[in-house]
Amino acid sequence: MQLLDGKKLSAEIKNEISEEVKKMVLSGKRAPHLAAILVGNDGASQTYVSSKVKSCEEVGYKSTLIRLEKDITEHELLAQINTLNNDDSVDGFIVQLPLPKHIDEEKIILAIAPEKDVDGFHPMNVGRMTLNLPSYISATPKGILEMLNRYHIETEGKHCVVIGRSNIVGLPMSLLMQRRSKPGNCTVTICHSKTNDLAKYTLEADIIIAALGKPQFLTADMVKPGAVVIDVGITRVEDAGRKSGYRLFGDVDFDNVSKKCSYISPVPGGVGLMTVASLLQNTLSAAKEEFYSKNMSFDVGDL
Ligand code: NAD
């Protein structure tokens, strides 16, 4: 079994990005600038956002963290998005999800200008990705593609089972794995909470991508010998014995599945770090206007 080492790969990607930023700055351009909006003080969201901001510093980007109270109105948040959409000094920005219940996430995602949507959640980017057109690809699926690519894992003609169909992970992942591309060209099965006899599908899979958010859900008896297993899940489970007060679990029973598979990504140290690296790659693409030219017109509704 070989470990899919997200720590090593993300460091490699960050080095590549730093080199490019140095060249940009030497040629007289400004460094890429990522802004992040964090609403409220959810512990996990704060951790994710601070690791994104810290990573920006590591590669030489400018970053701006905008913290908003949890009771901010939807209208106020939309106004903040409008400001960032129109700020030429910001290349890309993210709104950390989940948002408080009184805010309509769909409306917020739609308000982000597609050319600054480095999370790749806007329907314009999702649609372009689906059609295999240049676009921002949502950071977690993009990170998984990088992982498969950099470990030279053959995907063509393989059967890939994706567990989970969320808009940010499972759905885009399943679309990307079937695309006429490398990595890609898989036969894909999407399993979800209404799938009957899920093990029937996972036992036939050459590649399993588990993204359901149920700690240690995928057990060794559900995996074919030699399969490639990618664990996307991150669940915090209380652990009084730890300084942080919690322990992170993936969706895979790592100890037992790792004895049976060919490759496996650990949690932590796997997909999570790749996600941050992919967000940095998307921000670089935004600064270089790789997919869209700046100042596209957009309409955020009646503010
Ligand atoms: P989500 O709750 O939006 O979606 C979960 C999906 O799993 C749903 O489509 C649901 O149908 C499916 N599901 C739930 N129970 C199931 C079951 N028993 N059998 C089969 N399918 C089932 O979650 P999400 O946002 O897609 O995130 C999934 C996990 O990945 C979470 O643990 C999350 O924290 C983690 N995550 C990690 C990263 C990262 O960077 N590593 C990024 C995003 C999400």
Side-chain angles (χ1 to χ4, degrees), residues 48 52 121 139-141 144 162-171 190-195 198 210-215 217 231-236 249-251 267 270-276:
Y48 296 145
K52 290 168 189 172
F121 294 163
T140 302
I144 294 170
V162 179
I163 315 175
R165 56 177 165 186
S166 72
N167 287 353
I168 62 166
V169 189
L171 179 67
I190 310 174
C191 295
H192 46 76
S193 54
K194 304 288 182 230
T195 300
L198 192 135
L212 68 160
K214 301 260 183 279
F217 175 89
D231 191 350
V232 185
I234 305 180
T235 306
R236 286 181 172 208
F249 279 95
D251 287 342
V267 177
V271 173
L273 295 168
M274 297 303 292
T275 299
V276 179

Side-chain angles (χ1 to χ4, degrees), residues 158-165 170 173-175 177-178 186-192 195-198 200-202 204-205 207-209:
K158 306 290 184 198
H159 180 200
C160 174
V161 169
V162 179
I163 315 175
R165 56 177 165 186
M173 198 67 240
S174 60
L175 292 165
M177 292 305 280
Q178 59 77 45
C186 284
T187 301
V188 178
T189 302
I190 310 174
C191 295
H192 46 76
T195 300
N196 290 326
D197 194 7
L198 192 135
K200 184 174 84 183
Y201 303 100
T202 55
E204 288 195 351
I207 302 168
I208 303 174
I209 301 176

Side-chain angles (χ1 to χ4, degrees), residues 3-15 58 147 151 265-266 268-275 277:
L3 201 66
L4 297 168
D5 188 345
K7 203 170 170 185
K8 183 180 127 233
L9 289 189
S10 65
E12 204 172 285
I13 295 169
K14 282 183 189 169
N15 274 338
E58 282 169 21
M147 205 170 218
Y151 275 93
S265 68
V271 173
L273 295 168
M274 297 303 292
T275 299

Side-chain angles (χ1 to χ4, degrees), residues 223-284:
V223 177
K224 180 168 88 171
V228 175
V229 178
I230 311 271
D231 191 350
V232 185
I234 305 180
T235 306
R236 286 181 172 208
V237 177
E238 272 184 41
D239 184 343
R242 296 205 168 205
K243 208 170 129 201
S244 62
Y246 64 84
R247 203 178 144 190
L248 293 182
F249 279 95
D251 287 342
V252 178
D253 173 9
F254 182 90
D255 291 348
N256 295 307
V257 172
S258 59
K259 291 180 188 138
K260 213 172 167 186
C261 61
S262 56
Y263 292 89
I264 188 166
S265 68
V267 177
V271 173
L273 295 168
M274 297 303 292
T275 299
V276 179
S278 300
L279 177 68
L280 297 174
Q281 287 177 321
N282 278 346
T283 305
L284 187 61

Side-chain angles (χ1 to χ4, degrees), residues 102-160:
H102 67 280
I103 298 178
D104 181 349
E105 277 187 4
E106 215 170 285
K107 208 166 170 182
I108 297 304
I109 290 169
L110 271 172
I112 299 172
E115 75 273 21
K116 293 196 178 185
D117 169 40
V118 285
D119 254 341
F121 294 163
H122 191 284
M124 168 90 93
N125 283 311
V126 178
R128 289 178 66 96
M129 174 207 72
T130 306
L131 299 174
N132 215 354
L133 295 169
S135 66
Y136 300 115
I137 295 176
S138 138
T140 302
K142 183 179 166 78
I144 294 170
L145 292 184
E146 281 278 357
M147 205 170 218
L148 293 168
N149 198 28
R150 290 184 186 235
Y151 275 93
H152 310 290
I153 293 172
E154 184 57 78
T155 58
E156 186 168 315
K158 306 290 184 198
H159 180 200
C160 174

